[in-house]
Amino acid sequence: MKPFVVTGLKALWRIGAGSMAFNEKQVLLKSASAKRTEGQRVFALVVLVLLAFFRWLPGGDPLNPTTGVRAFVEVGFLGLAILLALFWWPRRLSFALVKGWWLLLPAFWAGLSTLWSPNPLLTLAKAGELFLVHLLALVISQGSLTLTDWLKKTQVSLLLILLLGFGLNVVYYGTPFYYGPPLGGLLAGESDRPRLTLAADHPLVVGHLFALLLFVSAALLRGKGWFSSGGLIMLSVWGLFTTQARASTVATGAALMWWVLRALGKRLGRLRILLETAVVMVALGIAATLFPEAVDATSTYTPDVYTLNGRIPLWQATVEALFADFALLFLGTGFEATRYLTFDLAYWNPGHTHNGFLEIIAGLGLPGLLFYLPLIVFVVRSMWRPSIASALSFYILFMAVFNPVFQPGMVWFLILTTLLMEKKGAVHAYFHDTHILPTARR
């Protein structure tokens, strides 16, 4: 009787163990399938955002919803991305509104600035884009993808957009390597420098694309994809020089050096502080004096012929105009409406202040800068991480010296999402968890 009982118990144990193993295998298969589906959905959203802000369709003023079809396409792609996110992740989307309130503050104030903007339609459209871009960044960062998975999706998405640009060059110009002003652009008299452009986009934006591809590929250089990532790094370096995006080129090199110094950590000791300071000072010095460009010598604002030519007088004139009118200093011109302030302040009729922080004050006033402060602090803190977050944060803060970078756009979307993914990874490592949100209804 006893051997029979023992045999029966062993049989039951084997059946139970086999059932548990089968269930565990099913869970792993479902988890892998869910992760693959998540990656496909994220890739689709990223491509939609890139298509929205990449000037692949000529026609109209890209910053003015009242002209041409360009702006309607831009808003349409972003709206489609939000609808898909709402359909795929309804709980995650609503949770992001509560959890990421600090990130969405600038968009709410930008929307209110429609009330006093000289172009309410322009301000309302761009404020809406800012809200959608920040919300999408939050939603993607709260998913189940790891930072490495996100970087892989970003790398493929950027490469796809670049290939689209080369293809459209053939359609528009008859050659994949077109060096000149974008189709329909007003840049023919800007300079005689031959600059690579893709489709109808500005060389500066193309430079951003190559810079981001370089950062992401450098982060993925380790592992199985080292060969392809190495090739994309060389492509990115070539693209930066051929587009002649001066600030992007200097910022990219300095950001990579900063990343290396942060990664070395305590090995350098106090020497690291000295080296980091040197990187910042040298980069600012090079950006201010490198790549001379011919300008009209008879102009009032021509103290030199370098990168800062026209910018410093523009900044001075903008600050003077703001402090001359308390209402303007407090409320600003309205989001993305600083062109109405800067147009008569410099000989080159700029459409913005050419400085990220000054652009916030000029467009949204001092309260706008206050609402942006949590976001800026987040980027500054990310600059001290020993990872790709440090390079991207350095890049965006460096570029803010010369151009408005806190507006809606592909550059800001990709950098902000990566920083949020990095933050999510730090939270997970601390709590030994794999998800921020519950797994139900993902």
Side-chain angles (χ1 to χ4, degrees):
M1 184 67 179
K2 187 175 180 180
F4 177 77
V5 173
V6 172
T7 303
L9 291 175
K10 288 183 178 179
L12 290 174
W13 171 257
R14 289 171 182 172
I15 293 174
S19 177
M20 286 188 293
F22 177 78
N23 290 336
E24 184 178 355
K25 185 176 181 181
Q26 290 293 104
V27 170
L28 291 175
L29 289 175
K30 289 182 180 179
S31 177
S33 176
K35 184 178 180 181
R36 184 166 54 253
T37 302
E38 172 90 355
Q40 293 171 348
R41 291 174 175 178
V42 167
F43 174 75
L45 294 182
V46 174
V47 170
L48 285 175
V49 175
L50 292 181
L51 286 176
F53 292 106
F54 182 61
R55 306 291 174 227
W56 59 276
L57 180 67
D61 184 347
L63 295 180
N64 191 344
T66 64
T67 62
V69 297
R70 173 62 253 167
F72 295 107
V73 173
E74 184 174 299
V75 176
F77 273 121
L78 288 180
L80 178 59
I82 284 292
L83 288 177
L84 290 175
L86 180 63
F87 177 76
W88 288 329
W89 308 302
R91 177 177 295 185
R92 192 189 304 179
L93 196 64
S94 60
F95 195 83
L97 289 170
V98 177
K99 188 177 181 63
W101 61 270
W102 60 275
L103 184 63
L104 303 174
L105 284 176
F108 288 127
W109 182 250
L112 286 177
S113 70
T114 303
L115 298 176
W116 57 84
S117 172
N119 191 335
L121 182 59
L122 167 67
T123 296
L124 181 63
K126 302 307 291 187
E129 288 183 8
L130 184 69
F131 175 79
L132 297 181
V133 165
H134 285 190
L135 187 60
L136 281 171
L138 275 170
V139 170
I140 292 175
S141 68
Q142 291 177 353
S144 59
L145 291 183
T146 64
L147 177 63
T148 302
D149 294 330
W150 162 253
L151 294 177
K152 290 179 180 178
K153 298 294 182 295
T154 302
Q155 185 186 57
V156 176
S157 302
L158 289 171
L159 183 60
L160 179 64
I161 294 298
L162 288 173
L163 291 177
L164 173 64
F166 284 113
L168 290 174
N169 268 7
V170 176
V171 175
Y172 294 157
Y173 311 115
T175 173
F177 307 107
Y178 174 75
Y179 294 89
L183 182 64
L186 300 176
L187 305 173
E190 182 182 85
S191 71
D192 296 327
R193 290 182 293 139
R195 308 178 69 180
L196 175 69
T197 66
L198 295 182
D201 218 330
H202 194 286
L204 295 179
V205 178
V206 179
H208 287 320
L209 285 172
F210 282 114
L212 291 174
L213 183 62
L214 193 153
F215 287 131
V216 173
S217 300
L220 297 174
L221 199 55
R222 296 179 180 180
K224 298 180 181 179
W226 68 270
F227 183 77
S228 59
S229 294
L232 291 178
I233 289 175
M234 291 188 288
L235 172 65
S236 302
V237 172
W238 170 82
L240 280 171
F241 281 102
T242 52
T243 56
Q244 296 192 42
R246 298 168 294 181
S248 291
T249 303
V250 176
T252 301
L256 290 175
M257 295 178 64
W258 178 271
W259 182 6
V260 171
L261 294 176
R262 297 308 306 172
L264 291 177
K266 297 181 180 180
R267 299 178 186 177
L268 296 176
R270 295 182 178 180
L271 180 61
R272 186 183 66 180
I273 300 177
L274 179 62
L275 292 175
E276 289 173 347
T277 304
V279 167
V280 175
M281 299 304 296
V282 171
L284 289 174
I286 292 177
T289 59
L290 197 59
F291 307 117
E293 179 182 352
V295 296
D296 184 6
T298 62
S299 171
T300 304
Y301 302 120
T302 53
D304 55 58
V305 291
Y306 300 107
T307 296
L308 290 182
N309 177 45
R311 278 180 168 83
I312 291 180
L314 173 63
W315 299 338
Q316 293 173 342
T318 302
V319 172
E320 292 174 0
L322 290 173
F323 278 92
D325 186 346
F326 178 77
L328 187 62
L329 179 63
F330 186 77
L331 296 176
T333 61
F335 188 62
E336 292 277 10
T338 55
R339 66 185 64 192
Y340 295 94
L341 172 66
T342 61
F343 188 80
D344 294 325
L345 294 181
Y347 71 95
W348 47 309
N349 299 330
H352 49 77
T353 61
H354 277 270
N355 181 280
F357 307 102
L358 187 58
E359 183 75 9
I360 295 175
I361 301 175
L364 298 175
L366 292 178
L369 183 62
L370 182 64
F371 287 127
Y372 258 105
L373 194 58
L375 188 54
I376 295 174
V377 170
F378 170 66
V379 177
V380 172
R381 291 182 61 183
S382 298
M383 193 174 70
W384 303 98
R385 293 182 180 274
S387 62
I388 185 178
S390 63
L392 291 174
S393 300
F394 187 100
Y395 181 84
I396 201 72
L397 292 173
F398 187 93
M399 293 302 298
V401 178
F402 303 99
N403 289 286
V405 294
F406 302 109
Q407 300 166 320
M410 68 175 78
V411 178
W412 182 231
F413 168 74
L414 293 178
I415 289 181
L416 183 60
T417 309
T418 304
L419 297 184
L420 290 169
M421 296 284 288
E422 179 82 8
K423 180 182 178 182
K424 181 191 76 170
V427 172
H428 290 173
Y430 182 79
F431 289 104
H432 302 286
D433 194 5
T434 55
H435 298 293
I436 288 179
L437 300 178
T439 55
R441 293 184 65 184
R442 281 183 171 272

